[in-house]
Amino acid sequence: MAAAVRLLRERCLFTAEQLREVLGTCPAVLLEEPRRLHHHFQYAYFRMGVSQKEMVKARLFQMPFPELRNRHIFLERRGLYQTPYKGQTQTSNPKLKDILQLPEEDFLASLACATTEEYDVFKRLLAREEEEEEEDEEDRNARYAEEDEDVDSEGSDTA
């Protein structure tokens, strides 16, 4: 628990007041693994361009990270959310609070302008993309390990 509090205070730079609000509205963060909690924060801060103040106001940590990511990427791919470049965006992004707190049906109808079927298909395709990326990463790691073994065995033959 202390590790989660320290992470939110020191690495995520929440003020004492913001931290109190986060812990009051989402005490489950205390049980979260610090690495995962930090990843959740970093995604919202860097990828979505959201400030700590907005995260607290929207209650970021109440939504599981995979659902936040699904909703964000869905909006992004539909052209309805733009990752800020150095704090600047060409379009007006939806508020984090709307992305997080609207029930899925309302999120789809009012923000994403999509059907439940479209969102379900999107989530399945995104999961498949992630699986393929993981497999590609595993293949690359296996090839590098084989290359390292080949180099090691060549070096031992000549020694």
Side-chain angles (χ1 to χ4, degrees):
M1 286 194 267
V5 170
R6 193 170 40 257
L7 173 104
L8 291 169
R9 187 79 169 108
E10 296 173 6
R11 296 192 65 201
C12 301
L13 303 176
F14 284 104
T15 66
E17 185 179 322
Q18 290 170 336
L19 182 58
R20 206 171 14 263
E21 178 77 17
V22 167
L23 296 176
T25 58
C26 190
V29 298
L30 292 172
L31 303 174
E32 191 72 42
E33 182 183 327
R35 183 178 52 82
R36 293 178 67 190
L37 187 60
H38 194 233
H39 181 62
H40 197 148
F41 166 81
Q42 286 187 317
Y43 185 89
Y45 188 80
F46 292 108
R47 186 82 165 73
M48 296 179 73
V50 178
S51 70
Q52 287 93 333
K53 183 179 179 180
E54 192 176 347
M55 288 179 207
V56 172
K57 188 176 174 184
R59 299 179 177 178
L60 170 71
F61 299 108
Q62 285 185 341
M63 176 174 276
F65 177 73
E67 183 59 23
L68 165 70
R69 190 171 168 276
N70 284 345
R71 287 185 178 201
H72 171 249
I73 293 173
F74 188 64
L75 289 172
E76 201 172 46
R77 292 191 181 172
R78 292 182 64 83
L80 301 170
Y81 198 100
Q82 186 177 48
T83 301
Y85 176 74
K86 296 185 180 181
Q88 306 277 324
T89 57
Q90 274 72 27
T91 63
S92 178
N93 286 332
K95 293 193 179 309
L96 181 63
K97 187 174 187 173
D98 294 336
I99 295 170
L100 297 177
Q101 294 188 0
L102 287 174
E104 186 173 292
E105 192 175 286
D106 295 337
F107 164 77
L108 292 170
S110 63
L111 275 183
C113 304
T115 65
T116 303
E117 294 79 22
E118 288 173 310
Y119 190 51
D120 289 340
V121 168
F122 165 79
K123 289 189 287 189
R124 286 195 303 272
L125 290 172
L126 187 61
R128 186 183 305 161
E129 273 180 40
E130 290 170 350
E131 286 174 18
E132 289 172 0
E133 286 174 9
E134 287 174 14
E135 289 171 5
D136 289 347
E137 183 68 25
E138 289 171 6
D139 289 347
R140 274 193 297 279
N141 289 341
R143 280 196 305 274
Y144 290 140
E146 288 173 6
E147 290 172 5
D148 286 346
E149 287 175 12
D150 290 346
V151 168
D152 290 342
S153 64
E154 287 175 13
S156 62
D157 287 346
T158 58

